[in-house]
Amino acid sequence: MLLRALDDFSKSWARRRTLFACVIAGVAGLACLASPAASIALLAALAALITMHASSLRIADALRALAPPGAAAIAVGLTWGWDGALGVIMLWRLFEDARWSAGEARRLQRLNGERVDRGLRAAHLWLTPAFAAALIAHTAPHLFIGLPLDLPHAPAIAPMLFGAAAMLALIDWAIRQATDWRLGAFDAASAAHSAAHHGVFLLAYVASPDLSAGAMAMIAWRLAHALPSRGVQASFTAVP
């Protein structure tokens, strides 16, 4: 009985944490629309709380994680300009957020004893960020917190193709979730996280009127997942 109660609490907390992270992301995005400085202050407070609660702070691991994108940004900045360097950093952050979120979905599935989605079954988690990246490249250049951000221009066909692929993958995922629910094998925690994943990426990089607000919301969404948990290891890819 005790083990079952603990398992039920773990699943319900995972769903509440997903909702909590979405609320924090919305607050950060709206704050950035009103005042970028207020949004940056919120992100700094979140990062400080995570650092204080972290069980370990591995500077060497942080430097190894930051070295490749940092070197790429410097090389692009020296060659094509610093607006291109900021574009490289934006794409790196988008990729890191997608990779973390896909890993979190797999972790929740393992935690709840479900089959872990891999390959084509997990493609929906990557196609939404890919659509966002293609749209950002198509609509470039942008301003990010007052700084110019540029990417190689993508033709209109790129976001159209990625958008169509993402829509088909989302429909397939939704059908699989409905089937699992009908069969009594529905994993609410991982489904809630995946739904939040798609919603936050689309709102941040597609529906947001300002790329700065969207990026701030995405950073806050990821940071908020670590806030309730003590003993986490601080991740330097979760902060700007």
Side-chain angles (χ1 to χ4, degrees), residues 14-220:
R15 294 192 294 272
R16 289 199 300 271
R17 187 179 64 171
T18 297
L19 177 60
F20 170 77
C22 288
V23 171
I24 293 295
V27 171
L30 292 174
C32 188
L33 288 175
S35 170
S39 183
I40 292 173
L42 174 61
L43 295 184
L46 292 175
L49 284 173
I50 292 172
T51 303
M52 287 189 296
H53 291 169
S55 60
S56 61
L57 197 61
R58 300 176 182 176
I59 302 299
D61 291 345
L63 292 176
R64 279 194 294 268
L66 295 174
I74 292 173
V76 170
L78 293 174
T79 306
W80 287 289
W82 295 108
D83 51 347
L86 192 56
V88 170
I89 294 173
M90 170 62 71
L91 287 181
W92 168 71
R93 279 218 45 86
L94 196 150
F95 170 78
E96 282 292 335
D97 289 337
R99 185 167 69 95
W100 169 84
S101 187
E104 178 69 6
R106 291 193 298 269
R107 186 190 71 83
L108 289 172
Q109 288 176 328
R110 285 193 297 268
L111 181 66
N112 296 325
E114 300 294 331
R115 182 175 66 175
V116 177
D117 288 343
R118 299 186 186 279
L120 290 176
R121 291 176 64 89
H124 65 99
L125 294 170
W126 288 96
L127 285 171
T128 300
F131 169 56
L135 188 63
I136 292 172
H138 174 64
T139 55
H142 300 274
L143 280 179
F144 182 78
I145 312 294
L147 299 174
L149 182 153
D150 200 6
L151 290 169
H153 180 72
I157 191 65
M160 291 173 61
L161 288 177
F162 279 113
M167 182 180 298
L168 291 174
L170 272 172
I171 292 172
D172 173 71
W173 172 77
I175 291 173
R176 285 192 280 110
Q177 299 307 306
T179 302
D180 289 344
W181 175 78
R182 186 68 180 84
L183 296 175
F186 182 62
D187 178 13
S190 64
H193 173 79
S194 296
H197 165 97
H198 295 299
V200 172
F201 267 101
L202 291 175
L203 287 174
Y205 296 122
V206 178
S208 175
D210 181 19
L211 182 63
S212 301
M216 291 296 181
M218 178 60 69
I219 295 170

